[in-house]
Amino acid sequence: MEYNFREIEQKWQRRWAEDGTYKTTEDASKQKFYVLNMFPYPSGAGLHVGHPLGYIASDIYARAKRLQGYNVLNPMGYDAYGLPAEQYAIQTGQHPEVTTVANINRYREQLDKIGFCFDWDREVRTCDPQYYHWTQWAFQKMFASYFCNKTQKAHPIEQLIQHFEQQGTADLDVAQSESLCFTAEEWKAMDEKQQSDTLMNYRIAFLGETMVNWCPKLGTVLANDEVVEGVSVRGGYPVEQKKMRQWCLRVSAYAQRLLDGLETIDWSDSIKETQRNWIGRSEGAEVEFQIADSDETFTIFTTRADTMFGVTFMVLAPESELVEKVTTAEQKQAVDEYIKYVKGRTERERMIDHKVTGVFTGSYAINPFTGEKNPIWVSEYVLAGYGTGAIMAVPAHDSRDYAFAKHFDLPIIPLIEGADVSEESYDAKEGTVCNSPRPDVKPYIDFSLNGLSVKEAIAATKKYVKEAGIGRVKVNYRLRDAIFSRQRYWGEPFPVYYKNGIPQMIPEECLPIELPEVEKFLPTETGEPPLGNATVWAWDETNRKIVENSKIDNKTVFPIELYTMPGFAGSSAYYLRYMDPHNNQALLSPEAANYWQNVDLYVGGTEHATGHLIYSRFWNKFLFDLGISVKEEPFQKLINQGMIQGRSNFVYRVKDTNTFVSFDKKEGYEVTPIHVDVNIVSADVLDVEAFKQWRPEYNNAEFILNDEGKYICGWAVEKMSKSMFNVVNPDMIVEKFGADTLRLYEMFLGPVEQSKPWDTNGIDGCHRFLKKLWNFMMSDTTAEAPSKAELKALHTLIKKVTGDIEQFSYNTSVAAFMVCLNELTKLKSASKDVKETMTVLLAPFCPHLAEELWHQLGHETTVCDAPWPAFNEDYLKEDNVKMMVAFNGKARFPLEFPAGITPAEAEKAALENPQSAKWMEGFTVAKVIVVPGKMINVVLKK
RNA sequence: GCGCUUGUGGCGAAAUUGGUAGACGCGCCAGACUUAGGAUCUGGUACUUUACGGUGUGCAGGUUCGAGUCCUGUCAGGCGCACCA
């Protein structure tokens, strides 16, 4: 009987769907295991062979875990809100929902053909009101919370209000946009609007006036991770900085917890490091400087408190509010011109060339350690958004300050013994401090750092600064608050309306607020976001429902927020929703949360390292503070699958002709390489007839073939994309070889984590293996107990596959299957036990085939519920052991010993062997090292 | 510049604690069966050498009886961050 994969795969896919084989329910008698893939954005192009790589790996893992007795949750869904559908809508008028649903259906069809064990009953779509109900709900909870630095967690905003009523801002240690100072009386005296504005300074979801990445071409703001090198990730359009009133999430409040949490999770070092980088913790000190001839002071942040004696000037960020205050009348014109120049420079220009520019303000600051007057400058190299937007410059020990000092001819004072700063600054944090204070200068204060190491000096200075009351120890983070509004249509609407300019939350019971219909998906003529086109988008406060805009009277009917939420809103807590996807009373029930806890294994690409994976962790921590999520970290183990690149093929057109020359004959011709569809090329040999049909202009193409009469194509590894004609579609592979072959081959290609080019050529080997396996399994079966040799081959496989499952080393598992099958075929094995065990081991990799074989072997139940085979070490033990006898580390000859021989006996036998005499001639034996089961090394001396 | 990561045949790649480098597959070579082969099966295949042998895991050192693996330095590719004080 032939291996008819089409019939087998169709049959079992249908049966699994009918029987609900992969439906998962909470089962307290079993240990849970939650496997999750990053859910896809359903793009119009459909899946290519690269997309399922991670899904296959996690599917194998999920299936193996189920066989090992776990209750496995393996859901799938769609990140359905996104820009491409909206752009398509703008161009064609097609509603994004229509496009999205069509794309989802196509994805589902393609996914179904590969035989995943997803529980589709738990599918979620971020654009479904039943789903975004809880996105809106979480936003409202963040609005109603603030973050306390002492408890390091979120609390209800009412607690903060109470604090204000009792003592104003006294004794307050909370996450905030800016440091405010008012008394309880002042708080009580505020009107409603003032109180609302004040609370925005503390809420976790808040309305803030911030500099945003504005993309004029897309007509929306973008998050930092959506902008690369000054252009948008999607579309590559220029992005500029603009001050706007936006919804923001106070992600920065969680910076320390986001950092600490990394220690508890099982992620790759590189991705953890990327996150640490992104969070950017730096420990330092804030020090206050008095402005000379003025009552004003200002604060700088430094990580090099030890360099206080080397400060020769101060620098303010051009955006700093201090600039105006300190600029003298004589310098005003120069400063204004400079500010104008900086504003004219785009973010991109500033990033590309680091020009040394700046201007003197005319004022001086008094160094609290030396008493010297340091000139205050303004320069674009100081960033307004980090620290205090002001620095003390120590040119001897900071390369940027050094460049600035050299350019403007400012003094440079070295502070480390032996540091040569004539050519460049000495930035290293090591060495012995000197010149602090300088020996030739009368000390200004009774404090010296001379003779200390840099580390000691930093600590000593911090201590002094704190005690003298001129500053404080401070930790700064690079992590910014997330901008949470987008000026788009296709996203979650905010459950917010505006009552006399004060944002109000739509009552929780009225959620979800559904996305309104609009005529046009573009911004309105007045520049409002697309939701400004909606005609039914007003909140009737008394009747608690959405009504026509025409009814807005700002007494009982109010306008609703026109912004929508960004892409990461819906993807931040989707893993929680899978636990209880149909619950319309809560995001999820406490029962579901307690059973499934968090994701045990998360699989996805590295591109989300600083976006989704930060936002999700933040979101989960917030829900954890609320007691909704039961684990502090959402994803315990993370595997990042590599990208599959395309392997493009080229034909070579001879210049000015319609003649194409074979790759191996093109020497001597002037040719233009042209991308050719890889689907009409097999093993780099072009299907000439198909090529003629491919494009009308090639109908009459002529070919210069090679000596074998073939047209050979050139090739290159490139990104898999339509324009390169190198997209390989999984459906085509499934059609030709079957899903099980595709699954096996994708794993056999190499380590899951590694990026690699797709090469259809190698797939034959995997397909051949399955055919051979089929023939072996379908041959006559006996009930006889397997022989020793059979058991050895089998248990070698059990050991290898069981170990590989945990390691994600599936390429070596496939190789082990091949070796095992070869062994068993040679042994003419026909034992039913052996066949059954192999079938179970195969089930995670090739579920359709395994299921068919399982039933052919006489089982009625699904192979998914079979027990995972137990490994027995005894079967691997040999009667005889071959050990290599080596002299001075060089392997010379193998020698056979009975199993269980002692090292001493082996040593004796090796030395007495006649073959050894030849090597030992003229030498004496210095020592003998026996590596049991492997090697006997005889160390010789002259 | 800083951080992470990877360098092994013609190709994709294997190699528990240092212990016969190159498993397995592709490709290639030879053979078998075939009217035929882009089917199937068998054997071979790191390089070099007629052979004995010699050389081999980016490069240069080191530790060791023994190094792909450990240490030091260095080069190259990939990724991330980047005027963060």
Side-chain angles (χ1 to χ4, degrees), chain A residues 776-787 790-791 794 824 828-841 852-860 869:
Chain A
F776 166 75
M777 290 292 200
M778 297 309 285
S779 62
D780 291 339
T781 300
T782 66
E784 276 170 40
S787 69
E790 286 173 72
L791 285 170
L794 192 67
L824 293 174
K828 299 197 166 52
S829 172
S831 159
K832 193 177 174 193
D833 286 4
V834 171
K835 290 184 178 178
E836 283 193 348
T837 307
M838 269 203 85
T839 303
V840 176
L841 289 174
E852 178 66 22
L853 293 171
W854 190 246
H855 282 253
Q856 293 281 352
L857 287 164
H859 294 271
E860 291 299 321

Side-chain angles (χ1 to χ4, degrees), chain A residues 666-739:
Chain A
K666 75 181 166 72
E667 215 61 31
Y669 293 94
E670 199 177 329
V671 294
T672 328
I674 297 168
H675 275 97
V676 59
D677 189 341
V678 292
N679 294 301
I680 58 171
V681 178
S682 172
D684 290 336
V685 177
L686 181 70
D687 181 337
V688 170
E689 287 310 312
F691 180 71
K692 285 183 178 177
Q693 298 304 313
W694 185 44
R695 287 287 170 86
E697 64 262 38
Y698 301 141
N699 283 348
N700 302 315
E702 307 268 333
F703 300 92
I704 299 170
L705 304 177
N706 71 358
D707 302 340
E708 294 163 42
K710 288 175 181 168
Y711 187 98
I712 309 292
C713 298
W715 60 274
V717 173
E718 296 172 301
K719 194 177 156 120
M720 199 172 270
S721 96
K722 267 182 168 173
S723 60
M724 315 264 195
F725 300 108
N726 60 4
V727 173
V728 181
N729 192 294
D731 312 69
M732 294 195 45
I733 303 287
V734 168
E735 179 56 31
K736 206 165 164 195
F737 299 99

Side-chain angles (χ1 to χ4, degrees), chain A residues 6 206 214 363-364 447 492 584 657 739:
Chain A
R6 282 189 195 92
F206 63 100
W214 174 255
S363 290
Y364 295 83
F447 181 76
E492 298 88 348
N584 49 29
T657 68

Side-chain angles (χ1 to χ4, degrees), chain A residues 233-286:
Chain A
V233 171
R234 290 220 181 244
Y237 304 117
V239 172
E240 56 192 51
Q241 299 296 299
K242 193 174 163 182
K243 204 156 203 179
M244 281 180 81
R245 202 164 156 78
Q246 299 283 327
W247 285 105
C248 303
L249 301 185
R250 208 175 296 283
V251 179
S252 60
Y254 283 82
Q256 191 58 49
R257 276 171 67 185
L258 288 167
L259 197 61
D260 294 343
L262 291 173
E263 305 301 324
T264 68
I265 51 183
D266 189 10
W267 294 13
S268 74
D269 286 342
S270 74
I271 211 147
K272 281 193 197 176
E273 200 55 36
T274 303
Q275 292 217 338
R276 280 191 202 105
N277 243 319
W278 192 259
I279 296 166
R281 181 182 205 271
S282 74
E283 236 172 281
E286 282 187 351

Side-chain angles (χ1 to χ4, degrees), chain A residues 614-775:
Chain A
I614 291 265
Y615 297 130
S616 250
R617 292 181 60 222
F618 154 75
W619 203 286
N620 188 69
K621 282 174 194 299
F622 173 73
L623 292 176
F624 177 77
D625 289 350
L626 255 54
I628 306 293
S629 182
V630 300
K631 288 273 182 150
E632 167 103 38
E633 286 292 335
F635 314 118
Q636 190 52 43
K637 184 183 169 77
L638 177 70
I639 293 281
N640 298 113
Q641 92 273 21
M643 283 228 286
I644 294 211
Q645 293 131 312
R647 189 178 184 280
S648 314
N649 276 115
F650 299 94
V651 291
Y652 300 89
R653 175 165 32 198
V654 179
K655 210 180 171 201
D656 302 326
T657 68
N658 204 13
T659 301
F660 296 84
V661 58
S662 179
F663 177 74
D664 44 351
K665 288 276 172 186
K666 75 181 166 72
E667 215 61 31
Y669 293 94
E670 199 177 329
V671 294
T672 328
I674 297 168
H675 275 97
V676 59
D677 189 341
V678 292
N679 294 301
I680 58 171
V681 178
S682 172
D684 290 336
V685 177
L686 181 70
D687 181 337
V688 170
E689 287 310 312
F691 180 71
K692 285 183 178 177
Q693 298 304 313
W694 185 44
R695 287 287 170 86
E697 64 262 38
Y698 301 141
N699 283 348
N700 302 315
E702 307 268 333
F703 300 92
I704 299 170
L705 304 177
N706 71 358
D707 302 340
E708 294 163 42
K710 288 175 181 168
Y711 187 98
I712 309 292
C713 298
W715 60 274
V717 173
E718 296 172 301
K719 194 177 156 120
M720 199 172 270
S721 96
K722 267 182 168 173
S723 60
M724 315 264 195
F725 300 108
N726 60 4
V727 173
V728 181
N729 192 294
D731 312 69
M732 294 195 45
I733 303 287
V734 168
E735 179 56 31
K736 206 165 164 195
F737 299 99
D740 286 335
T741 301
L742 173 72
R743 292 169 62 104
L744 208 60
Y745 184 56
E746 291 226 3
M747 293 302 103
F748 189 59
L749 223 44
V752 177
E753 279 122 313
Q754 207 165 293
S755 288
K756 56 230 151 186
W758 176 263
D759 181 2
T760 307
N761 293 337
I763 202 167
D764 288 339
C766 288
H767 192 57
R768 252 197 296 271
F769 162 71
L770 289 187
K771 281 198 279 189
K772 283 191 229 173
L773 183 78
W774 172 262
N775 291 334

Side-chain angles (χ1 to χ4, degrees), chain A residues 810-874:
Chain A
Y810 300 141
N811 53 334
T812 56
S813 293
V814 178
F817 271 110
M818 292 174 176
V819 172
C820 180
L821 179 64
N822 255 330
E823 287 289 318
L824 293 174
T825 311
K826 272 187 205 153
L827 292 166
K828 299 197 166 52
S829 172
S831 159
K832 193 177 174 193
D833 286 4
V834 171
K835 290 184 178 178
E836 283 193 348
T837 307
M838 269 203 85
T839 303
V840 176
L841 289 174
L842 186 73
F845 297 86
C846 302
H848 313 86
L849 176 58
E851 198 81 78
E852 178 66 22
L853 293 171
W854 190 246
H855 282 253
Q856 293 281 352
L857 287 164
H859 294 271
E860 291 299 321
T861 55
T862 171
V863 70
C864 300
D865 290 330
W868 189 256
F871 167 64
N872 188 339
E873 186 83 50
D874 292 341

